[in-house]
């Protein structure tokens, strides 16, 4: 395949072809050799991603405890190429952070639900679980909830909590992190339509 060929969701592509897509290509993911072109996120989606990332960055990255990134290129061990909304990687595991790609399973992956809710709730959950990502957070801006999933000893996700604006988000992976979710869901500059 040449990089000038028309690309479309559902087309088959090798990991090498995916890595060689031009930077002007829309945001895409490659799962089991199938390309998925992602729609542009809504403003509320972007707001929630950036604000949650800022809290993670301020409490973990600035303290030297972990790295926090939004909208990264993530390569999972099965050669699935995803673009999660946020990832958190403990400082002691920084070798997985490359210049363009993050190679491996982050400590925490966050997805903010968008128009293709089933993709985040089912397919990405399966991929992150199979890759051994210790925590998967699913943020639902419509319902103002955050579901925290954690990997059990059996390698399967279990629901640790479904949190609302009345709750505080914490994680046993990084005890220094604490976020009253009202600061996210009820932020005075959040615009919802």
């Amino acid at each position: 395949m040449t990089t000038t060929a028309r690309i479309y969701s559902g087309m088959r592509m090798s990991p090498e072809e995916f890595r060689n897509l031009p930077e002007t290509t829309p945001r895409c993911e490659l799962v089991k050799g199938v390309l998925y072109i992602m729609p542009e996120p809504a403003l509320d989606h972007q707001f929630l991603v950036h604000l949650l990332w800022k809290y993670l960055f301020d409490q973990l990255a600035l303290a030297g405890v972990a790295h926090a990134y939004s909208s990264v290129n993530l390569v999972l061990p099965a050669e699935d190429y995803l673009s999660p909304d946020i990832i958190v990687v403990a400082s002691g595991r920084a070798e997985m952070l490359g210049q363009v790609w993050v190679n491996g399973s982050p400590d925490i992956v966050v997805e903010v639900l968008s128009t293709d809710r089933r993709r985040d709730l089912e397919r990405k959950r399966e991929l992150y679980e199979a890759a051994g990502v210790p925590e998967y957070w699913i943020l639902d801006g419509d319902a103002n909830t955050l579901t925290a999933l954690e990997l059990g000893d059996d390698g399967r996700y279990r629901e640790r909590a479904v949190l609302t604006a009345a709750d505080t988000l914490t994680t046993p992976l990084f005890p220094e992190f604490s976020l009253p979710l009202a600061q996210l869901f009820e932020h005075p500059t959040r615009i919802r339509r």
Side-chain angles (χ1 to χ4, degrees):
M1 183 185 107
T2 65
T3 56
T4 58
R6 181 181 161 277
I7 64 166
Y8 54 90
S9 278
M11 74 183 295
R12 301 232 28 109
M13 183 177 285
S14 72
E16 182 180 359
E17 290 170 325
F18 183 80
R19 287 189 303 270
N20 289 322
L21 286 172
E23 290 183 17
T24 56
T25 302
R27 194 166 162 214
C28 300
E29 295 182 325
L30 186 71
V31 177
K32 308 291 182 241
V34 177
L35 185 72
Y36 176 76
I37 298 175
M38 298 165 32
E40 289 296 319
L43 287 178
D44 190 52
H45 180 281
Q46 292 179 55
F47 179 87
L48 292 169
V49 167
H50 294 299
L51 189 56
L52 179 54
W53 170 83
K54 182 185 180 328
Y55 288 125
L56 287 161
F57 183 84
D58 288 350
Q59 292 185 41
L60 299 177
L62 291 179
V65 175
H67 303 271
Y69 293 97
S70 65
S71 300
V72 298
N73 299 309
L74 175 65
V75 185
L76 294 177
E79 285 209 77
D80 292 314
Y81 291 73
L82 301 179
S83 185
D85 290 316
I86 300 171
I87 65 163
V88 178
V89 176
S91 293
R93 301 181 63 230
E95 70 279 354
M96 70 187 310
L97 304 172
Q99 286 296 318
V100 177
W101 300 97
V102 174
N103 293 288
S105 300
D107 295 286
I108 300 171
V109 171
V110 182
E111 294 285 0
V112 176
L113 296 181
S114 55
T115 53
D116 192 351
R117 297 169 67 86
R118 185 171 168 227
R119 183 168 167 77
D120 292 330
L121 292 170
E122 295 174 17
R123 186 65 182 139
K124 286 191 176 182
R125 177 184 173 143
E126 292 169 5
L127 293 169
Y128 295 139
E129 183 178 78
V133 174
E135 290 197 20
Y136 178 33
W137 298 352
I138 303 167
L139 196 156
D140 185 342
D142 291 341
N144 284 341
T145 60
L146 187 144
T147 302
L149 303 174
E150 64 185 5
L151 210 57
D153 293 336
D154 60 355
R156 304 291 308 229
Y157 278 134
R158 67 175 184 78
E159 193 174 280
R160 185 175 66 235
V162 177
L163 306 170
T164 67
D167 299 308
T168 298
L169 173 62
T170 61
T171 171
L173 296 176
F174 303 102
E176 48 278 287
F177 179 75
S178 176
L179 172 63
L181 285 175
Q183 293 179 12
L184 182 69
F185 294 131
E186 297 172 2
H187 195 277
T189 63
R190 183 177 178 203
I191 299 171
R192 299 181 68 199
R193 305 241 187 273

